[in-house]
C-alpha cells in the first residue's frame, strides 16, 4: 500500500492533528538521511503548538521493543504508511513527570561521569587493580599514569615500598600499608587462598 499522508517538519506534523495519529505506522526521514520506521508512540507539543519531538515504537521479532526519540528539528519528511489500528489518542496513557525523568537522567549522567573518572586511560591492568584497591578505602584520582591519594603520588610500577612519593611521611606509610594489604589480599585470592 502507498503512503496515507505526507508532511514536512515539526510544524506540519502539528497541523495534521498529530495526536489523532498516535498508533499510526510512520516512516521518518531525518536531515541526516536516516530512515526510521515505527508506531507513533508519543508526541511532545512545544510552544506555538508545534511538535518538538516524537517517539516511535519499534516492535522486534524477539518480543522486545525499541523506542526512538526524534527531535522535530532533524525531521525532514514524515510518511504515514498505515493509520492507527484503534483510536490510540483515547486510550489511557499514564502521566510522566518530566522533572522526575530529568532528575533521574542527571543522576545517571553524574554516576557515569564518576565511574569514567575511576578508569585510567592508557594504564596497565595492574595499575587499574592498584587504583581499584586503594579506592575501596580512600579517595583516589588519576593524573596521567600516576595515582593521587591523600596528597601523595604513586608512580609506575606502583610498588608500595619504592613508588609512593609525598611530603608527609605518616600519610606515605599509611598509603603503603593499605596498598600492601590490598595487594596481598588480591594475591591470596588469585592463588585460591593458598599461602
Amino acid at each position: 500500500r502507498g503512503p496515507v499522508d505526507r508532511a514536512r517538519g515539526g510544524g506540519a506534523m502539528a497541523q495534521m492533528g498529530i495526536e489523532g495519529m498516535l498508533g499510526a505506522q510512520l516512516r521518518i526521514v531525518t536531515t541526516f538521511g536516516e530512515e526510521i520506521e515505527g508506531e507513533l508512540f508519543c508526541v511532545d507539543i512545544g510552544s506555538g503548538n508545534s511538535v518538538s519531538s516524537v517517539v516511535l515504537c519499534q516492535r522486534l521479532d524477539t518480543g522486545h521493543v525499541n523506542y526512538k526519540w526524534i527531535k522535530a528539528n532533524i525531521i525532514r519528511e514524515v510518511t504515514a504508511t498505515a493509520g492507527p489500528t484503534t483510536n490510540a489518542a483515547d486510550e489511557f496513557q499514564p502521566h510522566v513527570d518530566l522533572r522526575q525523568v530529568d532528575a533521574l537522567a542527571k543522576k545517571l549522567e553524574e554516576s557515569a561521569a564518576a565511574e569514567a573518572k575511576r578508569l585510567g586511560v592508557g594504564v596497565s591492568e595492574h595499575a587499574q587493580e592498584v587504583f581499584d584497591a586503594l579506592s575501596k578505602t580512600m579517595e583516589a584520582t588519576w593524573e596521567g599514569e600516576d595515582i593521587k591519594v591523600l596528597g601523595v603520588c604513586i608512580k609506575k610500577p606502583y610498588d608500595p615500598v619504592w613508588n609512593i612519593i609525598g611530603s608527609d611521611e605518616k600519610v606515605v606509610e599509611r598509603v603503603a600499608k593499605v596498598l600492601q594489604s590490598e595487594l596481598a589480599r588480591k594475591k591470596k585470592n588469585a592463588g585460591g587462598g593458598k599461602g
Side-chain angles (χ1 to χ4, degrees):
R1 282 173 24 174
V4 175
D5 202 350
R6 203 172 267 254
R8 298 200 182 271
M13 287 177 69
Q15 293 168 3
M16 288 176 19
I18 193 70
E19 296 92 351
M21 293 296 292
L22 289 175
Q25 292 297 317
L26 299 183
R27 183 177 70 81
I28 293 179
V29 180
T30 69
T31 55
F32 306 109
E34 179 183 10
E35 292 186 16
I36 305 167
E37 295 188 26
E39 175 187 328
L40 181 60
F41 179 77
C42 177
V43 179
D44 184 21
I45 306 293
S47 62
N49 203 27
S50 65
V51 174
S52 59
S53 63
V54 297
V55 177
L56 294 186
C57 174
Q58 299 173 322
R59 300 186 189 283
L60 307 176
D61 295 335
T62 61
H64 294 102
V65 293
N66 282 340
Y67 293 95
K68 299 284 185 168
W69 182 11
I70 309 157
K71 290 191 156 202
N73 63 343
I74 67 160
I75 295 175
R76 186 176 66 198
E77 181 178 311
V78 177
T79 305
T81 57
T85 54
T86 63
N87 192 358
D90 293 336
E91 291 180 16
F92 171 74
Q93 297 292 323
H95 170 73
V96 176
D97 185 349
L98 295 180
R99 287 176 290 202
Q100 186 178 12
V101 171
D102 187 46
L104 178 60
K106 286 180 182 172
K107 181 179 175 184
L108 292 172
E109 286 174 6
E110 289 169 2
S111 175
E115 185 61 31
K117 287 182 181 179
R118 295 180 43 79
L119 300 175
V121 178
V123 300
S124 67
E125 185 176 340
H126 174 68
Q128 188 65 53
E129 289 172 354
V130 168
F131 183 90
D132 292 343
L134 288 169
S135 293
K136 290 179 182 178
T137 58
M138 303 174 176
E139 181 74 27
T141 58
W142 285 105
E143 190 172 287
E145 290 186 333
D146 298 339
I147 300 170
K148 300 286 187 172
V149 61
L150 299 177
V152 300
C153 178
I154 306 169
K155 296 204 168 277
K156 195 176 178 180
Y158 315 103
D159 184 286
V161 177
W162 304 106
N163 299 110
I164 301 177
I165 302 164
S167 59
D168 187 337
E169 195 59 39
K170 288 184 179 186
V171 175
V172 171
E173 288 174 17
R174 178 177 175 211
V175 171
K177 185 176 180 180
V178 170
L179 182 54
Q180 286 172 333
S181 173
E182 288 294 334
L183 292 176
R185 182 180 354 192
K186 182 156 185 60
K187 187 174 183 181
K188 181 179 177 184
N189 289 342
K194 296 176 186 170

